[in-house]
Every structure is written in C-alpha cells, then in structure tokens.
Amino acid sequence: MSRDIKLHDAVRAESRSPSGLRLEASRLTAEAIQMFKGEAPTAVAYCDLDAWLEGNDSEVRFWSQVLNQLKT
C-alpha cells in the first residue's frame, strides 16, 4: 500500500513533529477504512511489513501507529 497507492510520503513524515505524524496517521487510518473496509488492518499490516523488510524504522513506527489506531 505504501508504494502502490502513495498514501504516505516518507520524506515528509520524517520532517514532521510527533503531533503532525499523529494527525497524518489519523487521516490515513480513515482513508484505509474507507478504501479497504474490513480489510484495512491487513492492508496496513502489509505496509508495516514492507517498511520493516526495507529497514525503514521511521516508516515502521508510522505504520505501526496507523495499525494501532485501526485496532482501537
């Protein structure tokens, strides 16, 4: 999802404040739910896994935050 539909720009995210990242994560959570419905947690988990496989720690933290918001 992160590379395919370009919902998230890693360069911008790294330069944002923690509160800015929370707002972006909230926005992405809503978009994932709208786009993927009940499969949103799975789609976001794949983004998190993709970031982890690429070794991008900031992206892993971001997608983990989105995933946590989906679970609550």
Side-chain angles (χ1 to χ4, degrees):
M1 185 166 122
S2 62
R3 287 181 287 173
D4 296 336
I5 61 175
K6 309 235 185 271
L7 286 176
H8 177 65
D9 184 343
V11 175
R12 284 186 340 189
E14 289 178 9
S15 65
R16 289 187 176 204
S17 67
S19 62
L21 285 177
R22 279 191 298 276
L23 289 173
E24 187 172 353
S26 295
R27 182 185 59 81
L28 235 73
T29 300
E31 288 182 22
I33 291 169
Q34 182 181 9
M35 184 176 284
F36 296 106
K37 310 281 187 254
E39 300 299 320
T42 303
V44 170
Y46 277 118
C47 294
D48 201 3
L49 177 63
D50 185 49
W52 181 77
L53 290 171
E54 290 177 356
N56 189 334
D57 291 338
S58 64
E59 284 282 307
V60 169
R61 284 189 300 274
F62 176 79
W63 287 113
S64 295
Q65 185 177 7
V66 174
L67 188 58
N68 282 334
Q69 288 184 8
L70 281 169
K71 293 188 326 184
T72 57

